[in-house]
Amino acid sequence: MNKTLVIGASGQIGQLITKALAETGEPVRALVRDKSKLAHLKSDELDIMEADLEEGFSHAFAGVSNVIFVAGSGGTTGADKTLLIDLWAAKKAVDYAKNSQVKQFIMVSSIGADNPDAIESDIKPYLVAKYMADKYLMVSGVPYTIVRPGPLTNDEGEGKITIKRPNSREEMAIPRADVAKSILYILTKDNLNGKIFELFNGTYDVDNVLV
């Protein structure tokens, strides 16, 4: 069976993905800084591994077929952590994935990462980091899918999305649960390699949109 490595598994989206995989009996390795954050998840197919993304973590890729990079520096950190996690750790993950010949790498990026200059805000360093990480993955030779969700909310997910960018920023929001569901769907599809999807709250079922 294929094993999926979730990098950033203790984050909100990462936990949703890890929990869903574990509950369905899919082999999953959760990479976290602190194992205690996932102590509530129990499964014979769940392997929780500790690592500091600012250091080396190539050992986490042993026996892995799929990688989901959903790690982030967080909204309260400075540009230094954004550089080290959202860019440099992502770059290292791509290198490790290439060396391990993984068959699928799903990168969780952000709306605006295609053109950081188009958004004047305090998150521009984050968007620049995501832009560079996405570009590095795209030219790496690693099979990839990139998702760029709009502003994230904790609303209850309904599994309804759109990939067409709305006109207003308010309409761009999407529940984290629906981002997780979209990623889990992509994980089951080989024909989505090489594609980039922007994700927003919408009215379409995930499997009817991500094609």
Side-chain angles (χ1 to χ4, degrees):
M1 297 179 69
N2 294 332
K3 176 171 284 190
T4 298
L5 171 65
V6 182
I7 303 174
S10 61
Q12 293 184 73
I13 296 176
Q15 287 199 46
L16 290 171
I17 293 170
T18 302
K19 183 174 184 290
L21 289 172
E23 287 180 345
T24 54
E26 296 291 333
V28 55
R29 176 172 295 149
L31 191 64
V32 295
R33 183 190 290 268
D34 181 359
K35 281 186 175 183
S36 66
K37 292 184 177 181
L38 295 184
H40 60 289
L41 297 182
K42 305 294 183 183
S43 171
D44 292 339
E45 298 295 342
L46 174 59
D47 169 21
I48 303 176
M49 182 178 291
E50 288 185 340
D52 184 345
L53 297 186
E54 295 183 35
E55 306 295 336
F57 53 98
S58 61
H59 59 287
F61 287 72
V64 164
S65 300
N66 313 298
V67 176
I68 300 171
F69 189 93
V70 68
S73 56
T76 60
T77 60
D80 57 338
K81 291 296 183 183
T82 298
L83 181 66
L84 292 173
I85 302 300
D86 297 283
L87 174 54
W88 199 241
K91 183 265 184 192
K92 288 190 291 186
V94 172
D95 289 340
Y96 298 150
K98 186 171 184 177
N99 291 338
S100 299
Q101 297 181 320
V102 304
K103 71 174 188 178
Q104 189 178 36
F105 192 116
I106 301 174
M107 177 75 83
V108 180
S109 184
S110 171
I111 181 69
D114 59 326
N115 183 11
D117 283 333
I119 299 178
E120 289 301 328
S121 74
D122 55 3
I123 68 166
K124 188 171 181 178
Y126 169 78
L127 296 179
V128 171
K130 289 297 187 185
Y131 173 91
M132 298 302 296
D134 290 356
K135 287 292 185 182
Y136 190 81
L137 174 60
M138 292 163 65
V139 301
S140 68
V142 174
Y144 72 87
T145 306
I146 297 171
V147 296
R148 292 173 174 164
L152 301 171
T153 74
N154 288 322
D155 296 339
E156 185 174 350
E158 298 180 356
K160 303 288 186 178
I161 66 169
T162 182
I163 59 174
K164 182 179 180 181
R165 187 182 295 194
N167 294 324
S168 69
R169 182 169 178 81
E170 291 73 19
E171 296 176 302
M172 292 183 183
I174 183 171
R176 288 177 171 86
D178 287 338
V179 176
K181 183 172 182 178
S182 299
I183 292 168
L184 289 165
Y185 175 77
I186 292 169
L187 192 62
T188 68
K189 301 296 178 182
D190 295 331
N191 63 322
L192 300 182
N193 282 333
K195 294 193 175 185
I196 300 173
F197 296 106
E198 294 186 339
L199 301 179
F200 312 101
N201 186 37
T203 59
Y204 303 99
D205 292 334
V206 169
D207 56 356
N208 289 331
V209 177
L210 301 179
V211 295

